[in-house]
Amino acid sequence: MIISHKYQFIFIKNGKTAGTSIEVFLSKFCGSFDIVTPIYPVVESHFPRNYAGFYNRMTSAEIREKIGKKTWKNYFKFCVERNPWDKAISYYHMAKCRTGGNLSLDEFLDGCEFPINFPRYTEPGNSSKIIVDKIIDFNNLVEGLGEVFGRLGLPFDGSLGVYAKSEYRTDRRPYQEVLTASQTRKIQEIFAVEIDLHGYHFQKVKLIA
């Protein structure tokens, strides 16, 4: 999570949406009085500062309460969100790696830890009310970041320069080729709020003639 007084923006970090890579990129532009929370595992080029009372995955509502409504209103607030089926597969690979490689996809989906992000960018008690200014679509990440960084006056050449936590996933097949019908339905149930909020759907693979 980053609050930049220098550039007047707030970056809310969501799960499995390139959040760590974005934090590392943004941290090098932040001023000495900006708030940059630590990330784990530590990335060399990321420089936390002034984070007492803040933590990495704070919700928008928590940040608003901490900094006051006036600053919250005046700063540009953004995050990234991702198709839940794709996001779940990415999170599964990380969870599998962290458990020694012995976790099946069905076991993961029968668990209780998932990258459900909507509470971080919606009003508490009202999941249909988005309270950030921009939610970038992960599928169009470079374009979305370019638009936001251009607005903020941050230089961006189309690359974040680091792809943190990408090493967990070795199977790069699209989620459509991985998930069974029952697994697809399970993810739909788990992420029902986000699917409804953003109109996500299980996209068919385009066939090349």
Side-chain angles (χ1 to χ4, degrees), residues 59-69 72 123-124 131:
T59 68
S60 294
E62 289 172 325
I63 297 169
R64 181 179 60 192
E65 179 70 22
K66 198 81 175 173
I67 66 175
K69 291 183 179 179
W72 174 261
E123 191 71 63
I131 57 174

Side-chain angles (χ1 to χ4, degrees), residues 20-62:
T20 298
S21 299
I22 295 169
E23 283 179 309
V24 173
F25 177 84
L26 290 173
S27 73
K28 63 185 178 183
F29 298 107
C30 288
S32 57
F33 296 103
D34 291 349
I35 297 166
V36 181
T37 56
I39 54 177
Y40 303 100
V42 173
V43 177
E44 242 181 69
S45 52
H46 179 259
F47 304 103
R49 69 208 79 161
N50 310 313
Y51 55 84
F54 295 87
Y55 66 94
N56 191 247
R57 294 192 184 274
M58 287 183 77
T59 68
S60 294
E62 289 172 325

Side-chain angles (χ1 to χ4, degrees), residues 13-19 57 80-95 98 103 105 108-109 111-121 165 169 186-187 190-195 198 200:
K13 184 179 182 178
N14 286 331
K16 301 311 295 178
T17 58
R57 294 192 184 274
V80 181
E81 188 54 289
R82 185 175 188 175
N83 180 298
W85 290 280
D86 188 34
K87 183 169 60 171
I89 289 294
S90 179
Y91 196 86
Y92 160 66
H93 282 285
M94 184 178 72
R98 289 178 173 178
L103 183 70
L105 182 53
F108 166 71
L109 292 175
C112 57
E113 185 180 350
F114 306 101
I116 297 172
N117 293 324
F118 76 87
R120 296 196 181 105
Y121 53 78
K165 300 180 181 178
R169 188 171 180 175
K186 187 68 177 289
I187 292 171
I190 293 168
F191 294 93
V193 172
E194 290 174 10
I195 290 170
H198 302 291
Y200 289 121

Side-chain angles (χ1 to χ4, degrees), residues 121-137:
Y121 53 78
T122 58
E123 191 71 63
N126 185 0
S127 60
S128 64
K129 185 177 181 181
I130 293 172
I131 57 174
V132 298
D133 298 306
K134 176 73 174 180
I135 299 178
I136 298 170
D137 181 3

